[in-house]
Amino acid sequence: MGKRGLRRLPMTALVSVCAVLIGVAVSGGASPLPGLELAQAGHWIASPALNLVLFVNGSAKSVDAQVPVAGLEPGSQVVQGPTSGYVIGKSAIIEFGKSDLSVDRTLTPPSGERPALVEASGGPYLVYREAGRVVRLGSGFTTLPAGGPLGAPVATPDGTLWLNRLDSGALCRLAKDADTVACRDDLGAGHTGGLSVAGDRAVFVDTTTDTIRQVSGDAPGEPVAIGTDLSPAAQIAPADADGRIAVLEPEKRQLYLLDAGVPGAGRAPAQPIKVGLPDGVYSNPAASASSVVLLDLTRHQVLTYGADGNPRQATAIPPESGTPQLVRGDDKRVYVDGGEGKHVLVVDPDGQVSQVPVAADKAPAPATSAPPTSPPPPPAQQPPAQQPPKAKPDVRADGPKQQSPPVRKTDPPVTQQQKPLPPSPPGIPARLTARLQGGDAQLSWGAAADNRAEVTAYHVAWQPSSGTGAGSADLGGTARSAVIPGLRAGITYTVTVVAENSAGRGTPATAKVAGPAVPKPTITVTRGKTGTYEPDPGECSAPDCAKMHVVVRGFAPNTAFHFTPHCGCEYSNGGRSFTTDSNGAVTFEAFDFGAVGKQAWVTSDNGVSSAKYTWPPG
């Protein structure tokens, strides 16, 4: 099969036809496509009461999609990969498609304990800490032993999963494409502390030696004193906020913000910032891009602080939300799950908190904001904390009561008590499907929620699992379908479609489509051009003598193979080598033969043999 010529049609034709033909040639050295490098946007939650899994758009502060899932277990968690989401329960793992919003399959978890969820490139991952096991989801379902009980896991932007063994003190890592957990004895038994991520580096905060060290790379960095005494009970945030790692001392009612940079020569670490907390019970800290997030379980509040230690906002958690938990999204927002799937609070990168109702049968009271209870004055070396600005009520519209949550949320009418919300990027393109038709991929999708600004474009991108053939195209805002021509046999393509409006690009829909099946390797022999064997005309001469015409299909592409002719008679020929093209095919004429009525055939050095061909007279 030869190469197919591709060309881009005018944009007017792309929008006006039912199937849009996209043709973009991309060389093997092309840069990664932006559409396929997008971070996982938003956050999925499970609502057992409604038997729904819902997508919370953190940018738009809305519920953009829902998936019916029967029999959701109470306390179910949801983690997402590029094309699928996974509902994690005690007795079952349910996979659903993020594009078609339907359940694909049900898997059995390796343990009944509640795992830690990690969304990362190459994953997502489930870490069963007590059992010492890691489950890699995605295209497969792989369980990997880590050798012992584990601390809280983290993942760096390159897709590496980092773990620490609680029994031996070993630091472990699972690279994006690795099939084993690699551990090394870096800390020694008895060391307490936890992992975090500072920028693109994994670090370990050692509460036994009161040091911090970089653990990314081939060898760990040198430990650096953090400047304060931490207890074994200290709780470490899994990521930094503007270069500071939050550490909660629950018994001391103190929050420390540590300098996350492991200093080099000539640079001393900045002194830790100390924030006093009122008496109460607090959860493990989390971090958005520029703020620290705490749950005050005594007062049922979400507290946010800047990286300078100053309080930013205190927001009441709806009382019917159940036991809340903090989840940091790949969009660097923190999502406060209610535990019952009825409400989600979204903490933006700057620490502002917004409430998103996800239950259909109740309209929650608006979230209120007030400064946290005044903490004790900071240490003398710290400048006095500025008083936070007077809190403003949350004016987000909760909308009318509904009987069931919508697949795409629309905004309620503006009243005198409500201010109109500004536009935000569009929602997920609905019901993206990608199916093979002949050798082409047929794409179709539904309209994305405009989120208060007209959708002006859809951006389509595709990436093969190996080799060349990636491409992208920009379509108009009315486009609902596209065609990607000439998929390579045996190659799986990842396709993304993302909508854009005046506020920017939204959450992408992602799907996979496999190219045509790899054909079975075949060799076909027929009579070729008549001629005479020049070295010895008496051995093979016209008209009975001719070349063997050999057609090879379905072999490995761009590979040299050795072909040897055979005969059920006296015949000797050492054969020749030929190289297949990019489609795994080659046609050639070789091997003079003239034994009329005898059978001839050809074999290759990869074990494939042609059928026996009875040689005809010339």
Side-chain angles (χ1 to χ4, degrees):
M1 181 172 62
K3 295 182 179 178
R4 303 178 62 175
L6 305 180
R7 62 188 179 88
R8 186 188 298 272
L9 295 179
M11 183 58 68
T12 53
L14 289 173
V15 176
S16 61
V17 297
C18 175
V20 183
L21 176 63
I22 308 165
V24 180
V26 179
S27 68
S31 301
L33 294 170
L36 298 177
E37 297 297 325
L38 293 171
Q40 297 292 327
H43 176 59
W44 292 85
I45 65 166
S47 176
L50 300 173
N51 281 324
L52 290 173
V53 177
L54 306 108
F55 178 76
V56 178
N57 184 329
S59 174
K61 310 300 186 294
S62 63
V63 174
D64 273 7
Q66 64 183 30
V67 181
V69 180
L72 281 178
E73 297 177 272
S76 292
Q77 304 167 276
V78 187
V79 64
Q80 64 175 327
T83 61
S84 296
Y86 302 85
V87 184
I88 314 301
K90 291 186 64 175
S91 61
I93 298 173
I94 301 171
E95 180 180 0
F96 62 89
K98 290 167 57 176
S99 296
D100 59 12
L101 303 179
S102 64
V103 172
D104 292 336
R105 58 175 175 166
T106 300
L107 306 165
T108 301
S111 171
E113 73 174 272
R114 185 182 179 93
L117 310 185
V118 182
E119 293 178 355
S121 175
Y125 297 95
L126 312 179
V127 179
Y128 293 86
R129 296 175 55 187
E130 295 178 12
R133 297 179 185 176
V134 177
V135 173
R136 175 188 277 135
L137 300 170
S139 58
F141 182 84
T142 307
T143 301
L144 304 170
L150 301 166
V154 298
T156 42
D158 63 358
T160 302
L161 183 70
W162 292 91
L163 310 152
N164 66 294
R165 286 268 299 274
L166 299 180
D167 53 355
S168 65
L171 295 174
C172 308
R173 60 180 172 181
L174 177 62
K176 177 179 177 180
D177 299 318
D179 56 5
T180 57
V181 177
C183 296
R184 57 195 183 197
D185 295 325
D186 290 327
L187 302 173
H191 281 245
T192 57
L195 288 160
S196 187
V197 175
D200 60 355
R201 299 168 292 119
V203 298
F204 187 83
V205 178
D206 192 327
T207 58
T208 301
T209 60
D210 295 325
T211 59
I212 184 172
R213 68 165 71 177
Q214 178 179 327
V215 300
S216 299
D218 296 331
E222 292 297 322
V224 176
I226 57 179
T228 191
D229 183 21
L230 298 177
S231 74
Q235 301 170 358
I236 293 99
D240 72 297
D242 275 352
R244 292 276 181 171
I245 295 176
V247 178
L248 173 67
E249 285 281 15
E251 296 182 0
K252 298 178 183 179
R253 308 295 187 268
Q254 297 287 347
L255 178 68
Y256 294 95
L257 304 178
L258 309 181
D259 183 356
V262 179
R267 179 186 180 275
Q271 287 296 309
I273 298 172
K274 181 179 177 182
V275 179
L277 302 172
D279 287 343
V281 178
Y282 299 88
S283 72
N284 286 29
S288 63
S290 302
S291 64
V292 175
V293 186
L294 280 180
L295 288 180
D296 181 344
L297 302 179
T298 300
R299 298 161 189 82
H300 221 53
Q301 288 183 326
V302 179
L303 309 179
T304 61
Y305 296 84
D308 56 2
N310 288 327
R312 288 189 173 173
Q313 191 168 334
T315 305
I317 301 172
E320 66 270 26
S321 293
T323 303
Q325 60 179 342
L326 301 178
V327 180
R328 178 184 165 103
D330 208 17
D331 56 1
K332 296 188 178 181
R333 292 180 172 87
V334 172
Y335 295 84
V336 187
D337 287 358
E340 299 293 333
K342 295 181 179 180
H343 300 87
V344 171
L345 299 179
V346 180
V347 183
D348 282 328
D350 62 358
Q352 294 300 306
V353 184
S354 301
Q355 182 174 308
V356 179
V358 296
D361 55 349
K362 291 184 179 180
T368 58
S369 300
T373 304
S374 299
Q381 68 268 24
Q382 298 297 329
Q386 296 180 357
Q387 292 298 317
K390 185 176 294 185
K392 297 180 181 180
D394 188 341
V395 297
R396 184 169 312 286
D398 291 327
K401 296 182 180 180
Q402 302 173 358
Q403 295 303 313
S404 60
V407 173
R408 291 291 184 268
K409 181 176 176 180
T410 57
D411 296 311
V414 177
T415 68
Q416 292 182 348
Q417 289 76 34
Q418 298 171 332
K419 296 181 180 179
L421 294 173
S424 61
I428 304 173
R431 302 178 301 282
L432 172 64
T433 61
R435 60 186 181 87
L436 184 68
Q437 183 171 335
D440 304 335
Q442 304 281 341
L443 310 183
S444 66
W445 61 89
D450 59 19
N451 291 332
R452 300 170 296 281
E454 179 185 3
V455 173
T456 55
Y458 285 93
H459 304 279
V460 180
W462 60 96
Q463 177 72 50
S465 56
S466 63
T468 60
S472 63
D474 302 327
L475 311 181
T478 60
R480 297 292 182 268
S481 62
V483 175
I484 304 173
L487 302 191
R488 291 159 50 206
I491 300 297
T492 299
Y493 290 73
T494 301
V495 180
T496 63
V497 179
V498 60
E500 182 176 8
N501 63 11
S502 60
R505 295 192 184 189
T507 303
T510 308
K512 290 184 181 294
V513 58
V518 176
K520 181 180 179 180
T522 60
I523 303 174
T524 303
V525 175
T526 56
R527 181 187 171 103
K529 182 179 180 181
T530 299
T532 297
Y533 181 58
E534 294 300 337
D536 187 354
E539 183 177 338
C540 185
S541 59
D544 294 332
C545 186
K547 300 286 187 184
M548 294 185 189
H549 183 81
V550 182
V551 178
V552 178
R553 296 287 184 267
F555 278 47
N558 304 312
T559 304
F561 294 92
H562 191 80
F563 299 91
T564 305
H566 306 273
C567 170
C569 59
E570 291 187 8
Y571 181 75
S572 178
N573 190 310
R576 288 177 58 186
S577 293
F578 293 89
T579 300
T580 57
D581 63 16
S582 60
N583 295 311
V586 63
T587 299
F588 60 87
E589 291 201 353
F591 319 136
D592 296 278
F593 191 78
V596 176
K598 299 296 184 178
Q599 291 184 322
W601 65 95
V602 171
T603 61
S604 62
D605 57 359
N606 64 346
V608 180
S609 177
S610 72
K612 293 181 177 180
Y613 174 72
T614 301
W615 199 258

